[in-house]
Amino acid sequence: GGGAAVQKAVAERWQKITGVPLCEGYGLTECSPTVTCNPLHITAYTGSIGLPMPSTDVAIRDEDGTEVPIGAPGELCVRGPQVMKEYWHKPEETALVLRQGLLHTGDVATMDEGGYVRIVDRIKDMIIVNGFKVYPRNVEDIIYGFAGVGECVVAGVPDPARGEVVKAWIYPKAGAHIEVEALRVYLKHELQPVEVPKQIEITDAPLPKTLVGKLSRKELVAREAAKIPVSTKAER
């Protein structure tokens, strides 16, 4: 799987059909081509991006640059031969990401005692609801487990009382019908109260995508700000 995080439901369906697990890795343009990867002998999808590649150091650090405890979320930072030297003719941008001898990726991750890394979400996509941190990717993973969901994007939208609230845009699979109240009941059992979307929009058209085919959270947030509906079926 490449280009974006593999959804658990997709990985499980893939293995059921093929009998072979998806082996996921992680890389970015600034660390071309790979930072971590799962061992090839795994027998099931792990949900992890695996272990650091040879000669690669990975650290999980907080906002002050201090390494966080095992299992705690923080920014994924990388040092290794694949890390870029600089952004071309952009010294200010380079200084923002290359600090303390490490590339700061902008991704929130955790690391377990075995050194396996899991991506939580992008720092810039994190939603703050009444001071609590909500990671859209976690909410999306749970929503994809609900029958009939074809595409899903979760993001924070402005709210005068809470600062932000969680909103989900959902495009059903062909022929599927999603009952919003049934979905809410399901989510209340699977998520913390602060993570449950306050707004759910069931669209009648595929969700917008980037030029490389990724679902575009950025465009949906921009449409929300401009009050441009994705479809006419909205539930609040």
Side-chain angles (χ1 to χ4, degrees):
V6 176
Q7 298 295 336
K8 182 180 179 181
V10 173
E12 290 176 346
R13 182 164 178 251
W14 169 271
Q15 186 161 357
K16 182 178 179 181
I17 293 171
T18 67
V20 180
L22 278 173
C23 184
E24 197 168 17
Y26 168 85
L28 59 161
T29 302
E30 293 87 348
C31 293
S32 180
T34 307
V35 174
T36 63
C37 189
N38 275 277
L40 298 180
H41 56 70
I42 60 171
T43 58
Y45 175 71
T46 68
S48 162
I49 57 170
L51 298 165
M53 299 297 286
S55 302
T56 301
D57 295 325
V58 167
I60 311 296
R61 300 198 172 192
D62 63 18
E63 295 89 342
D64 299 320
T66 302
E67 287 200 43
V68 302
I70 291 292
E75 185 173 12
L76 177 59
C77 301
V78 183
R79 176 171 49 234
Q82 71 276 60
V83 174
M84 71 170 189
K85 178 182 178 181
E86 62 188 7
Y87 290 123
W88 181 250
H89 290 170
K90 293 183 177 181
E92 295 84 5
E93 288 87 342
T94 300
L96 287 175
V97 299
L98 291 177
R99 308 191 306 273
Q100 301 172 312
L102 295 162
L103 178 97
H104 292 244
T105 66
D107 285 314
V108 180
T110 62
M111 182 186 293
D112 66 20
E113 293 180 350
Y116 283 81
V117 180
R118 289 175 180 269
I119 295 294
V120 179
D121 221 319
R122 293 287 295 169
I123 291 175
K124 65 181 181 181
D125 292 334
M126 185 171 61
I127 306 167
I128 305 296
V129 182
N130 285 336
F132 292 95
K133 296 177 180 178
V134 176
Y135 296 104
R137 180 182 168 186
N138 180 57
V139 180
E140 290 169 356
D141 280 343
I142 298 300
I143 292 176
Y144 273 113
F146 190 78
V149 174
E151 296 177 349
C152 172
V153 170
V154 170
V157 296
D159 181 82
R162 303 177 182 89
E164 286 186 297
V165 294
V166 181
K167 178 168 181 174
W169 291 263
I170 298 170
Y171 176 58
K173 293 179 180 177
H177 175 72
I178 296 175
E179 291 286 349
V180 172
E181 288 310 313
L183 174 59
R184 282 202 172 105
V185 170
Y186 164 78
L187 294 177
K188 286 177 181 178
H189 283 92
E190 299 292 332
L191 296 168
Q192 297 296 321
V194 72
E195 296 177 303
V196 177
K198 297 296 181 185
Q199 301 178 21
I200 297 175
E201 184 171 332
I202 309 297
T203 76
D204 52 15
L207 299 181
K209 298 174 181 66
T210 66
L211 292 175
V212 294
K214 297 181 184 181
L215 291 170
S216 178
R217 180 180 286 117
K218 181 178 179 180
E219 183 171 341
L220 285 167
V221 171
R223 290 185 184 186
E224 181 74 16
K227 301 301 180 184
I228 300 173
V230 179
S231 79
T232 57
K233 302 176 183 178
E235 296 285 344
R236 297 178 182 268

